[in-house]
Amino acid sequence: MKNNIIKLGIAAFGAFTLGACTDLTEHIYSDNTTDNFYNNESEVISAVLRPYTHSCAVFACQSRQNYWQLNELSADQLAWPVKGPHGYDDAKWIQFHYHTWTNMHASIEDAWNLFFMGLGFCNDAIQNLEDRTAESMNITEEQRAAYIAELRANRAYYYLGIMDLWGNAPIVTKVSDPEMPATNSRQEIFDFVESEMLEIMDDLPLLSQEEQNCGRFTRAAGYAMMATLYLNAEEWTGTARWADCIEYCDRLINGEGGGQNGAMQLDDDIYKPFSNTNSTDSRENILVLAYDYMASGIKCGWAGDMYHFNQRYIYGGTDNGNDGIVVIPSAYDMFEDNDLRKQDWMLIGPQYDYDTGEPVVGTSEYTGQPLVFVRDIKRYSEGDTITSTMYTGEENSGARFNKYNPGPLSDANYYGNDWVLYRLTEFYFDKAEALMRQNGGVATQEAVDLINACRQRAFSAEDWPNEMYTTATLTLDELLAERGREFIFEGKRRTDLIRFGKFLTESWWDHEPTTSEHLKLYPIPYDQVTLNPNLVQNEGY
């Protein structure tokens, strides 16, 4: 049985929830408060696990306006175009694609609030564990230190996302102290995350299937955070840290942080990290948001954003969606036709009922007609001359998400997919990139070998000799393209584009370059700046 952090939920105690960094009022919803809680290990664990349940709203694609949406819908692979009468939604998705958001954008404010609420859960539990003796909580001092380290790592992970999206924000480590926190610089947040992780790293447990902790912060997850921090250090602080990035990638690749299902290694195919049995079958997943729908009734909610109105028939399941996010044509074309990732991580073409084999039919422009997902985002009824834009979609426009297949309802593991935050493949890519940047942007043989080890899984044995990279063909631009193919749908694309200098300068599908430097950061929401006079708005907003 996997460690299902979702179904554990929060125990009935008066946990402090921080709705935004400027709303620091404590609300008591139960007779059980922190004064009469934390009496045993069960109550302690419930407080330690609470931030994880919240992280599902912050980092996964699950119909929340969150980190995932801000990092994917502003980039060059995914979009939520208008399809007939559906999907305009106050133009918020269009603004992401065109880079025309403002400090009044509701999704940006929602994401900010989610992040600072998560910090509230972490800070509340850290304070309570620090203020109590291990004996009073009926745990050992070693357990107390490990739980505090886990919470501090979780808090640092939230700040990693905040630093990525906003750059400058308050560092808040105490509940209600201060009541009106001031803005810290991106450098200060970077230094905070680095110092926190270095201080608590050895108190984090090794990643272990036996301990059922792939869904919690382990030493392997800590190493992954450090590699991410140093990979982006030049963008985030102005000082490159390539050697430090390589050091932490090596720790993961060499298995120093532990391993899931035995020694950590790349999975032998492209399906295992995302399958509905990935909690037991994957050997490369490092940090996940854990789900077990058949046991808990709770699932990762990607269907709302990703699925068609009749999608449940395609999978033989229960969920339809809002017919929202699609793969844009230029991103779809980045995959070769013989690439298994193109064939299996996306849906395109005629769709058939899982149970009957009959065509699934449309519900809007193609009511009663076979549903056929197509590459282009255009109204075919208006002829071939119409331009494909964010405004011209139909219900079948665009290739669709299939990286996580929940299986049919009859599957004993239906919707058992853990949502992946870190997997070992990423650190093969990170190390290769760091090696190339140390080498003036030119691939070394070691860098080529790292990327080929990952890429080979996407091609048949017959095709592979013509698909492997060499030191001549693996340029930085090609590495960015391959990162896009490998990590599509994983919530990382905007960060990659910024690091490679492409976020503002490149065109893609219905997007022209937006060269204003301030767009590399999101604005601090208008309401937050208005309520808290100590906040400083990001330049350009």
Side-chain angles (χ1 to χ4, degrees):
M1 179 180 175
K2 67 181 171 183
N3 171 31
N4 191 322
I5 61 176
I6 300 299
K7 70 175 182 177
L8 287 171
I10 182 172
F13 76 109
F16 175 81
T17 60
L18 190 59
C21 77
T22 50
D23 180 10
L24 301 173
T25 304
E26 185 174 14
H27 302 279
I28 302 301
Y29 295 102
S30 168
D31 291 336
N32 293 323
T33 70
T34 52
D35 291 335
N36 57 22
F37 201 69
Y38 294 93
N39 297 311
N40 52 58
E41 186 176 8
S42 177
E43 292 178 349
V44 170
I45 289 176
S46 70
V48 172
L49 295 183
R50 181 60 184 97
Y52 293 109
T53 67
H54 184 72
S55 290
C56 298
V58 181
F59 295 108
C61 174
Q62 63 154 18
S63 298
R64 293 299 299 265
Q65 298 170 69
N66 60 8
Y67 178 84
W68 189 95
Q69 287 188 346
L70 269 60
N71 229 29
E72 288 288 8
L73 297 185
S74 61
D76 65 347
Q77 293 188 304
L78 307 180
W80 191 322
V82 175
K83 304 182 194 72
H86 306 288
Y88 182 72
D89 296 340
D90 297 323
K92 58 188 177 183
W93 317 125
I94 293 168
Q95 290 167 15
F96 279 136
H97 194 76
Y98 292 162
H99 293 184
T100 56
W101 56 77
T102 70
N103 61 356
M104 300 287 286
H105 198 291
S107 297
I108 297 171
E109 180 166 17
D110 197 16
W112 174 279
N113 291 342
L114 284 171
F115 267 103
F116 280 91
M117 183 182 291
L119 290 176
F121 289 133
C122 293
N123 288 337
D124 178 71
I126 291 169
Q127 282 182 250
N128 278 285
L129 289 176
E130 288 180 340
D131 290 346
R132 288 166 169 77
T133 64
E135 183 180 12
S136 72
M137 296 183 286
N138 288 300
I139 59 176
T140 67
E141 187 58 42
E142 182 181 16
Q143 288 174 311
R144 176 177 172 274
Y147 289 140
I148 291 173
E150 185 175 353
L151 286 161
R152 288 172 66 182
N154 213 331
R155 181 173 65 187
Y157 187 67
Y158 278 112
Y159 268 114
L160 199 68
I162 289 169
M163 176 170 50
D164 184 14
L165 295 180
W166 291 283
N168 312 287
I171 297 175
V172 182
T173 60
K174 299 290 184 181
V175 175
S176 301
D177 182 18
E179 292 188 2
M180 295 291 181
T183 300
N184 292 93
S185 69
R186 200 179 215 181
Q187 179 71 63
E188 289 172 324
I189 298 175
F190 184 99
D191 293 342
F192 173 77
V193 172
E194 181 182 35
S195 63
E196 284 283 288
M197 293 307 300
L198 290 175
E199 187 172 329
I200 55 90
M201 191 73 74
D202 291 342
D203 288 328
L204 294 171
L206 297 175
L207 176 63
S208 169
Q209 174 65 19
E210 287 71 28
E211 298 296 329
Q212 300 289 317
N213 61 8
C214 190
R216 294 169 66 174
F217 276 96
T218 62
R219 206 169 305 169
Y223 293 162
M225 285 177 60
M226 296 299 280
T228 301
L229 187 74
Y230 294 135
L231 181 72
N232 293 284
E234 186 171 35
E235 175 62 34
W236 291 347
T237 71
T239 301
R241 302 283 294 273
W242 307 121
D244 291 326
C245 176
I246 291 169
E247 175 189 343
Y248 281 93
C249 290
D250 280 340
R251 291 188 184 190
L252 289 166
I253 292 168
N254 296 334
E256 294 179 29
Q260 190 73 349
N261 305 318
M264 185 178 293
Q265 64 184 45
L266 296 178
D267 286 331
D268 55 8
D269 64 48
I270 63 172
Y271 312 105
K272 285 184 179 179
F274 314 103
S275 73
N276 63 10
T277 57
N278 61 353
S279 62
T280 56
D281 289 352
S282 176
R283 298 182 70 175
E284 74 168 72
N285 286 345
I286 296 170
L287 180 64
V288 303
L289 299 172
Y291 293 89
D292 188 347
Y293 172 69
M294 299 302 278
S296 69
I298 300 173
K299 66 187 78 165
C300 189
W302 67 70
D305 282 0
M306 298 285 200
Y307 281 6
H308 181 269
F309 304 124
N310 264 351
Q311 191 104 2
R312 66 188 179 94
Y313 298 109
I314 298 171
Y315 289 114
T318 57
D319 285 356
N320 294 320
N322 295 316
D323 199 32
I325 297 171
V326 305
V327 180
I328 65 174
S330 54
Y332 183 76
D333 292 343
M334 292 295 292
F335 293 82
E336 298 176 72
D337 288 341
N338 61 342
D339 190 326
L340 298 177
R341 297 168 298 190
K342 184 177 188 177
Q343 297 172 19
D344 295 296
W345 287 355
M346 293 176 274
L347 295 177
I348 199 163
Q351 302 301 306
Y352 298 96
D353 189 297
Y354 180 88
D355 294 317
T356 69
E358 296 295 316
V360 173
V361 298
T363 64
S364 188
E365 291 86 0
Y366 297 94
T367 300
Q369 302 177 50
L371 178 64
V372 181
F373 292 136
V374 296
R375 166 191 175 276
D376 293 308
I377 300 168
K378 59 185 293 187
R379 299 191 185 106
Y380 283 89
S381 60
E382 298 183 23
D384 292 336
T385 60
I386 188 170
T387 301
S388 174
T389 73
M390 284 289 289
Y391 293 91
T392 60
E394 295 180 319
E395 65 172 306
N396 64 344
S397 294
R400 304 304 173 95
F401 171 85
N402 194 46
K403 198 166 193 175
Y404 290 79
N405 189 324
L409 183 59
S410 59
D411 189 331
N413 297 297
Y414 178 60
Y415 261 115
N417 318 67
D418 292 341
W419 185 270
V420 180
L421 298 177
Y422 282 131
R423 57 188 176 105
L424 186 60
T425 300
E426 183 171 350
F427 303 98
Y428 275 61
F429 274 77
D430 289 1
K431 182 179 179 181
E433 181 181 336
L435 288 168
M436 291 175 68
R437 293 191 185 277
Q438 284 185 325
N439 196 41
V442 178
T444 64
Q445 188 59 52
E446 184 179 9
V448 169
D449 291 343
L450 287 164
I451 301 304
N452 279 340
C454 305
R455 178 175 166 84
Q456 185 172 1
R457 302 173 296 182
F459 296 92
S460 68
E462 181 182 4
D463 288 344
W464 177 240
N466 295 320
E467 300 296 342
M468 64 176 63
Y469 288 121
T470 67
T471 54
T473 59
L474 186 62
T475 62
L476 279 176
D477 282 349
E478 181 56 30
L479 178 62
L480 176 62
E482 183 63 9
R483 282 190 77 103
R485 290 185 283 264
E486 180 64 30
F487 299 108
I488 190 170
F489 302 117
E490 294 189 45
K492 304 177 186 293
R493 189 58 174 172
R494 167 189 160 276
T495 309
D496 288 344
L497 289 177
I498 291 173
R499 191 175 63 256
F500 278 79
K502 305 289 188 181
F503 185 66
L504 301 179
T505 62
E506 296 294 298
S507 299
W508 54 81
W509 181 53
D510 189 29
H511 173 90
E512 295 299 324
T514 49
T515 55
S516 298
E517 281 290 313
H518 75 277
L519 293 171
K520 291 196 294 184
L521 293 177
Y522 284 109
I524 297 174
Y526 171 82
D527 285 348
Q528 299 302 317
V529 176
T530 301
L531 291 169
N532 181 358
N534 293 326
L535 291 180
V536 178
Q537 181 60 272
N538 284 330
E539 185 177 351
Y541 296 105

